[in-house]
mmCIF file of all heavy atoms in Angstrom:
data_model
loop_
_atom_site.group_PDB
_atom_site.id
_atom_site.type_symbol
_atom_site.label_atom_id
_atom_site.label_comp_id
_atom_site.label_asym_id
_atom_site.label_seq_id
_atom_site.Cartn_x
_atom_site.Cartn_y
_atom_site.Cartn_z
ATOM 1 N N LYS A 268 2.926 -11.082 -44.261
ATOM 2 C CA LYS A 268 3.579 -12.342 -43.892
ATOM 3 C C LYS A 268 3.472 -12.578 -42.383
ATOM 4 O O LYS A 268 3.150 -13.682 -41.933
ATOM 5 C CB LYS A 268 5.044 -12.309 -44.318
ATOM 6 C CG LYS A 268 5.790 -13.569 -44.003
ATOM 7 C CD LYS A 268 7.228 -13.471 -44.469
ATOM 8 C CE LYS A 268 8.003 -14.711 -44.093
ATOM 9 N NZ LYS A 268 9.416 -14.611 -44.466
ATOM 10 N N LEU A 269 3.722 -11.529 -41.624
ATOM 11 C CA LEU A 269 3.699 -11.646 -40.173
ATOM 12 C C LEU A 269 2.316 -12.008 -39.649
ATOM 13 O O LEU A 269 2.168 -12.886 -38.794
ATOM 14 C CB LEU A 269 4.182 -10.336 -39.546
ATOM 15 C CG LEU A 269 4.296 -10.281 -38.037
ATOM 16 C CD1 LEU A 269 5.233 -11.376 -37.534
ATOM 17 C CD2 LEU A 269 4.799 -8.916 -37.614
ATOM 18 N N VAL A 270 1.288 -11.362 -40.146
ATOM 19 C CA VAL A 270 -0.065 -11.630 -39.648
ATOM 20 C C VAL A 270 -0.511 -13.044 -40.023
ATOM 21 O O VAL A 270 -1.247 -13.688 -39.277
ATOM 22 C CB VAL A 270 -1.068 -10.553 -40.120
ATOM 23 C CG1 VAL A 270 -1.478 -10.734 -41.560
ATOM 24 C CG2 VAL A 270 -2.298 -10.509 -39.227
ATOM 25 N N ARG A 271 -0.033 -13.549 -41.144
ATOM 26 C CA ARG A 271 -0.400 -14.911 -41.557
ATOM 27 C C ARG A 271 0.345 -15.984 -40.773
ATOM 28 O O ARG A 271 -0.153 -17.093 -40.628
ATOM 29 C CB ARG A 271 -0.159 -15.074 -43.048
ATOM 30 C CG ARG A 271 -1.195 -14.362 -43.875
ATOM 31 C CD ARG A 271 -1.056 -14.678 -45.350
ATOM 32 N NE ARG A 271 -2.134 -14.064 -46.085
ATOM 33 C CZ ARG A 271 -1.962 -13.246 -47.108
ATOM 34 N NH1 ARG A 271 -0.745 -12.951 -47.536
ATOM 35 N NH2 ARG A 271 -2.994 -12.724 -47.725
ATOM 36 N N THR A 272 1.536 -15.670 -40.294
ATOM 37 C CA THR A 272 2.327 -16.660 -39.574
ATOM 38 C C THR A 272 2.218 -16.521 -38.060
ATOM 39 O O THR A 272 2.604 -17.426 -37.328
ATOM 40 C CB THR A 272 3.817 -16.581 -39.971
ATOM 41 O OG1 THR A 272 4.321 -15.276 -39.687
ATOM 42 C CG2 THR A 272 4.002 -16.894 -41.444
ATOM 43 N N ASN A 273 1.663 -15.401 -37.596
ATOM 44 C CA ASN A 273 1.489 -15.167 -36.172
ATOM 45 C C ASN A 273 0.420 -16.114 -35.628
ATOM 46 O O ASN A 273 -0.620 -16.310 -36.256
ATOM 47 C CB ASN A 273 1.088 -13.697 -35.953
ATOM 48 C CG ASN A 273 0.970 -13.318 -34.514
ATOM 49 O OD1 ASN A 273 0.156 -13.877 -33.786
ATOM 50 N ND2 ASN A 273 1.750 -12.346 -34.104
ATOM 51 N N GLU A 274 0.663 -16.681 -34.478
ATOM 52 C CA GLU A 274 -0.260 -17.651 -33.879
ATOM 53 C C GLU A 274 -1.673 -17.086 -33.717
ATOM 54 O O GLU A 274 -2.664 -17.784 -33.901
ATOM 55 C CB GLU A 274 0.280 -18.085 -32.518
ATOM 56 C CG GLU A 274 -0.498 -19.199 -31.893
ATOM 57 C CD GLU A 274 0.151 -19.671 -30.606
ATOM 58 O OE1 GLU A 274 1.316 -20.113 -30.670
ATOM 59 O OE2 GLU A 274 -0.507 -19.577 -29.567
ATOM 60 N N GLU A 275 -1.771 -15.813 -33.387
ATOM 61 C CA GLU A 275 -3.076 -15.182 -33.173
ATOM 62 C C GLU A 275 -3.654 -14.572 -34.453
ATOM 63 O O GLU A 275 -4.759 -14.041 -34.434
ATOM 64 C CB GLU A 275 -2.951 -14.084 -32.110
ATOM 65 C CG GLU A 275 -2.512 -14.609 -30.769
ATOM 66 C CD GLU A 275 -2.234 -13.492 -29.787
ATOM 67 O OE1 GLU A 275 -2.438 -12.315 -30.123
ATOM 68 O OE2 GLU A 275 -1.801 -13.812 -28.671
ATOM 69 N N ASN A 276 -2.886 -14.606 -35.554
ATOM 70 C CA ASN A 276 -3.292 -13.960 -36.812
ATOM 71 C C ASN A 276 -3.625 -12.493 -36.593
ATOM 72 O O ASN A 276 -4.552 -11.950 -37.182
ATOM 73 C CB ASN A 276 -4.480 -14.679 -37.454
ATOM 74 C CG ASN A 276 -4.115 -16.041 -37.959
ATOM 75 O OD1 ASN A 276 -2.977 -16.297 -38.353
ATOM 76 N ND2 ASN A 276 -5.057 -16.948 -37.956
ATOM 77 N N ARG A 277 -2.841 -11.852 -35.721
ATOM 78 C CA ARG A 277 -3.061 -10.447 -35.370
ATOM 79 C C ARG A 277 -1.719 -9.813 -35.025
ATOM 80 O O ARG A 277 -0.898 -10.416 -34.354
ATOM 81 C CB ARG A 277 -4.001 -10.349 -34.189
ATOM 82 C CG ARG A 277 -4.305 -8.945 -33.733
ATOM 83 C CD ARG A 277 -5.341 -8.955 -32.625
ATOM 84 N NE ARG A 277 -6.649 -9.387 -33.102
ATOM 85 C CZ ARG A 277 -7.568 -8.565 -33.606
ATOM 86 N NH1 ARG A 277 -7.338 -7.287 -33.688
ATOM 87 N NH2 ARG A 277 -8.726 -9.023 -34.012
ATOM 88 N N VAL A 278 -1.530 -8.589 -35.497
ATOM 89 C CA VAL A 278 -0.319 -7.820 -35.202
ATOM 90 C C VAL A 278 -0.761 -6.438 -34.742
ATOM 91 O O VAL A 278 -1.665 -5.839 -35.332
ATOM 92 C CB VAL A 278 0.588 -7.699 -36.449
ATOM 93 C CG1 VAL A 278 1.777 -6.801 -36.178
ATOM 94 C CG2 VAL A 278 1.042 -9.064 -36.917
ATOM 95 N N SER A 279 -0.122 -5.931 -33.696
ATOM 96 C CA SER A 279 -0.434 -4.597 -33.171
ATOM 97 C C SER A 279 0.778 -3.686 -33.327
ATOM 98 O O SER A 279 1.910 -4.117 -33.118
ATOM 99 C CB SER A 279 -0.789 -4.672 -31.689
ATOM 100 O OG SER A 279 -1.925 -5.467 -31.497
ATOM 101 N N ILE A 280 0.494 -2.448 -33.677
ATOM 102 C CA ILE A 280 1.518 -1.399 -33.692
ATOM 103 C C ILE A 280 1.037 -0.324 -32.725
ATOM 104 O O ILE A 280 -0.086 0.168 -32.847
ATOM 105 C CB ILE A 280 1.723 -0.815 -35.095
ATOM 106 C CG1 ILE A 280 2.224 -1.911 -36.048
ATOM 107 C CG2 ILE A 280 2.680 0.366 -35.052
ATOM 108 C CD1 ILE A 280 2.280 -1.510 -37.493
ATOM 109 N N ILE A 281 1.868 0.003 -31.762
ATOM 110 C CA ILE A 281 1.513 0.982 -30.741
ATOM 111 C C ILE A 281 2.125 2.320 -31.125
ATOM 112 O O ILE A 281 3.338 2.452 -31.239
ATOM 113 C CB ILE A 281 2.050 0.556 -29.349
ATOM 114 C CG1 ILE A 281 1.714 -0.902 -29.031
ATOM 115 C CG2 ILE A 281 1.553 1.521 -28.274
ATOM 116 C CD1 ILE A 281 0.278 -1.259 -29.008
ATOM 117 N N TRP A 282 1.287 3.314 -31.323
ATOM 118 C CA TRP A 282 1.764 4.657 -31.676
ATOM 119 C C TRP A 282 1.874 5.536 -30.434
ATOM 120 O O TRP A 282 2.844 6.240 -30.244
ATOM 121 C CB TRP A 282 0.819 5.299 -32.697
ATOM 122 C CG TRP A 282 0.697 4.497 -33.953
ATOM 123 C CD1 TRP A 282 -0.284 3.602 -34.255
ATOM 124 C CD2 TRP A 282 1.601 4.487 -35.053
ATOM 125 N NE1 TRP A 282 -0.041 3.040 -35.485
ATOM 126 C CE2 TRP A 282 1.105 3.577 -35.995
ATOM 127 C CE3 TRP A 282 2.777 5.180 -35.344
ATOM 128 C CZ2 TRP A 282 1.744 3.328 -37.207
ATOM 129 C CZ3 TRP A 282 3.413 4.936 -36.547
ATOM 130 C CH2 TRP A 282 2.901 4.018 -37.465
ATOM 131 N N ILE A 283 0.819 5.519 -29.613
ATOM 132 C CA ILE A 283 0.777 6.306 -28.381
ATOM 133 C C ILE A 283 0.142 5.417 -27.323
ATOM 134 O O ILE A 283 -0.898 4.803 -27.600
ATOM 135 C CB ILE A 283 -0.070 7.593 -28.565
ATOM 136 C CG1 ILE A 283 0.575 8.484 -29.620
ATOM 137 C CG2 ILE A 283 -0.208 8.345 -27.247
ATOM 138 C CD1 ILE A 283 -0.281 9.685 -30.009
ATOM 139 N N PRO A 284 0.688 5.279 -26.129
ATOM 140 C CA PRO A 284 1.857 5.994 -25.640
ATOM 141 C C PRO A 284 3.135 5.422 -26.246
ATOM 142 O O PRO A 284 3.165 4.265 -26.697
ATOM 143 C CB PRO A 284 1.831 5.753 -24.129
ATOM 144 C CG PRO A 284 1.105 4.456 -23.964
ATOM 145 C CD PRO A 284 0.116 4.394 -25.108
ATOM 146 N N ASP A 285 4.142 6.244 -26.274
ATOM 147 C CA ASP A 285 5.414 5.825 -26.829
ATOM 148 C C ASP A 285 5.996 4.741 -25.938
ATOM 149 O O ASP A 285 6.067 4.879 -24.731
ATOM 150 C CB ASP A 285 6.370 7.019 -26.911
ATOM 151 C CG ASP A 285 7.538 6.748 -27.823
ATOM 152 O OD1 ASP A 285 7.439 5.840 -28.673
ATOM 153 O OD2 ASP A 285 8.561 7.439 -27.695
ATOM 154 N N GLY A 286 6.338 3.659 -26.530
ATOM 155 C CA GLY A 286 6.872 2.551 -25.745
ATOM 156 C C GLY A 286 7.403 1.477 -26.647
ATOM 157 O O GLY A 286 7.687 1.688 -27.817
ATOM 158 N N ARG A 287 7.477 0.323 -26.101
ATOM 159 C CA ARG A 287 8.061 -0.806 -26.802
ATOM 160 C C ARG A 287 7.056 -1.428 -27.766
ATOM 161 O O ARG A 287 5.899 -1.673 -27.404
ATOM 162 C CB ARG A 287 8.490 -1.819 -25.766
ATOM 163 C CG ARG A 287 9.352 -2.891 -26.286
ATOM 164 C CD ARG A 287 9.874 -3.686 -25.127
ATOM 165 N NE ARG A 287 10.901 -4.578 -25.601
ATOM 166 C CZ ARG A 287 11.431 -5.502 -24.889
ATOM 167 N NH1 ARG A 287 11.052 -5.652 -23.643
ATOM 168 N NH2 ARG A 287 12.345 -6.284 -25.382
ATOM 169 N N GLN A 288 7.538 -1.723 -28.970
ATOM 170 C CA GLN A 288 6.709 -2.391 -29.967
ATOM 171 C C GLN A 288 6.783 -3.898 -29.755
ATOM 172 O O GLN A 288 7.733 -4.415 -29.165
ATOM 173 C CB GLN A 288 7.208 -2.048 -31.378
ATOM 174 C CG GLN A 288 7.060 -0.604 -31.756
ATOM 175 C CD GLN A 288 5.609 -0.154 -31.850
ATOM 176 O OE1 GLN A 288 4.678 -0.939 -31.973
ATOM 177 N NE2 GLN A 288 5.418 1.151 -31.764
ATOM 178 N N PRO A 289 5.784 -4.631 -30.248
ATOM 179 C CA PRO A 289 5.836 -6.094 -30.164
ATOM 180 C C PRO A 289 7.122 -6.634 -30.798
ATOM 181 O O PRO A 289 7.568 -6.135 -31.832
ATOM 182 C CB PRO A 289 4.598 -6.541 -30.951
ATOM 183 C CG PRO A 289 3.673 -5.372 -30.902
ATOM 184 C CD PRO A 289 4.557 -4.158 -30.886
ATOM 185 N N SER A 290 7.705 -7.653 -30.202
ATOM 186 C CA SER A 290 9.002 -8.172 -30.628
ATOM 187 C C SER A 290 8.983 -8.803 -32.015
ATOM 188 O O SER A 290 10.025 -8.910 -32.646
ATOM 189 C CB SER A 290 9.512 -9.190 -29.609
ATOM 190 O OG SER A 290 8.617 -10.278 -29.522
ATOM 191 N N GLU A 291 7.824 -9.197 -32.505
ATOM 192 C CA GLU A 291 7.773 -9.865 -33.802
ATOM 193 C C GLU A 291 7.889 -8.918 -34.999
ATOM 194 O O GLU A 291 8.027 -9.360 -36.135
ATOM 195 C CB GLU A 291 6.504 -10.724 -33.932
ATOM 196 C CG GLU A 291 5.224 -9.941 -34.039
ATOM 197 C CD GLU A 291 4.490 -9.774 -32.722
ATOM 198 O OE1 GLU A 291 5.069 -10.043 -31.670
ATOM 199 O OE2 GLU A 291 3.322 -9.362 -32.765
ATOM 200 N N LEU A 292 7.835 -7.616 -34.767
ATOM 201 C CA LEU A 292 7.934 -6.668 -35.873
ATOM 202 C C LEU A 292 9.335 -6.694 -36.474
ATOM 203 O O LEU A 292 10.332 -6.673 -35.757
ATOM 204 C CB LEU A 292 7.591 -5.254 -35.409
ATOM 205 C CG LEU A 292 6.175 -5.043 -34.869
ATOM 206 C CD1 LEU A 292 5.963 -3.576 -34.516
ATOM 207 C CD2 LEU A 292 5.120 -5.521 -35.840
ATOM 208 N N SER A 293 9.392 -6.733 -37.797
ATOM 209 C CA SER A 293 10.673 -6.798 -38.499
ATOM 210 C C SER A 293 11.391 -5.441 -38.431
ATOM 211 O O SER A 293 10.765 -4.406 -38.186
ATOM 212 C CB SER A 293 10.446 -7.170 -39.964
ATOM 213 O OG SER A 293 9.843 -6.094 -40.662
ATOM 214 N N PRO A 294 12.695 -5.438 -38.674
ATOM 215 C CA PRO A 294 13.431 -4.163 -38.710
ATOM 216 C C PRO A 294 12.835 -3.179 -39.715
ATOM 217 O O PRO A 294 12.797 -1.982 -39.461
ATOM 218 C CB PRO A 294 14.850 -4.581 -39.095
ATOM 219 C CG PRO A 294 14.985 -5.970 -38.587
ATOM 220 C CD PRO A 294 13.613 -6.586 -38.791
ATOM 221 N N ARG A 295 12.348 -3.667 -40.855
ATOM 222 C CA ARG A 295 11.734 -2.791 -41.866
ATOM 223 C C ARG A 295 10.471 -2.130 -41.306
ATOM 224 O O ARG A 295 10.238 -0.936 -41.479
ATOM 225 C CB ARG A 295 11.401 -3.591 -43.123
ATOM 226 C CG ARG A 295 10.822 -2.757 -44.233
ATOM 227 C CD ARG A 295 10.315 -3.552 -45.437
ATOM 228 N NE ARG A 295 10.831 -4.872 -45.611
ATOM 229 C CZ ARG A 295 11.887 -5.196 -46.374
ATOM 230 N NH1 ARG A 295 12.546 -4.255 -47.011
ATOM 231 N NH2 ARG A 295 12.268 -6.451 -46.485
ATOM 232 N N ILE A 296 9.631 -2.919 -40.621
ATOM 233 C CA ILE A 296 8.411 -2.370 -40.023
ATOM 234 C C ILE A 296 8.772 -1.343 -38.957
ATOM 235 O O ILE A 296 8.205 -0.246 -38.921
ATOM 236 C CB ILE A 296 7.530 -3.485 -39.425
ATOM 237 C CG1 ILE A 296 7.021 -4.428 -40.511
ATOM 238 C CG2 ILE A 296 6.354 -2.881 -38.652
ATOM 239 C CD1 ILE A 296 6.358 -5.696 -39.981
ATOM 240 N N LEU A 297 9.714 -1.680 -38.100
ATOM 241 C CA LEU A 297 10.119 -0.763 -37.025
ATOM 242 C C LEU A 297 10.683 0.542 -37.578
ATOM 243 O O LEU A 297 10.406 1.620 -37.041
ATOM 244 C CB LEU A 297 11.136 -1.440 -36.111
ATOM 245 C CG LEU A 297 10.587 -2.591 -35.273
ATOM 246 C CD1 LEU A 297 11.721 -3.314 -34.568
ATOM 247 C CD2 LEU A 297 9.548 -2.101 -34.282
ATOM 248 N N LYS A 298 11.444 0.458 -38.650
ATOM 249 C CA LYS A 298 12.005 1.666 -39.267
ATOM 250 C C LYS A 298 10.883 2.558 -39.811
ATOM 251 O O LYS A 298 10.902 3.777 -39.643
ATOM 252 C CB LYS A 298 12.969 1.274 -40.385
ATOM 253 C CG LYS A 298 13.794 2.408 -40.914
ATOM 254 C CD LYS A 298 14.857 1.872 -41.864
ATOM 255 C CE LYS A 298 15.803 2.952 -42.306
ATOM 256 N NZ LYS A 298 16.847 2.413 -43.213
ATOM 257 N N SER A 299 9.890 1.937 -40.440
ATOM 258 C CA SER A 299 8.753 2.696 -40.958
ATOM 259 C C SER A 299 7.940 3.315 -39.821
ATOM 260 O O SER A 299 7.542 4.483 -39.889
ATOM 261 C CB SER A 299 7.859 1.780 -41.798
ATOM 262 O OG SER A 299 6.738 2.475 -42.279
ATOM 263 N N VAL A 300 7.706 2.545 -38.758
ATOM 264 C CA VAL A 300 6.951 3.053 -37.602
ATOM 265 C C VAL A 300 7.692 4.244 -36.993
ATOM 266 O O VAL A 300 7.071 5.267 -36.678
ATOM 267 C CB VAL A 300 6.719 1.948 -36.554
ATOM 268 C CG1 VAL A 300 6.222 2.522 -35.237
ATOM 269 C CG2 VAL A 300 5.732 0.910 -37.084
#
């Protein structure tokens, strides 16, 4: 849903280095990450 509604049609998840995730990630995605 997020990738289809995102203006860029792209979503990034950062694993390393540990830091802040993109703000558009849902609580469910963040919990899984």
Side-chain angles (χ1 to χ4, degrees):
K268 181 179 177 183
L269 183 58
V270 77
R271 286 187 175 125
T272 59
N273 184 299
E274 187 175 300
E275 298 173 3
N276 292 330
R277 180 175 292 271
V278 175
S279 299
I280 298 172
I281 312 301
W282 301 97
I283 297 172
D285 196 20
R287 192 171 190 189
Q288 294 295 341
S290 61
E291 70 263 13
L292 298 183
S293 71
R295 182 187 339 266
I296 296 169
L297 292 172
K298 191 171 186 179
S299 178
V300 167

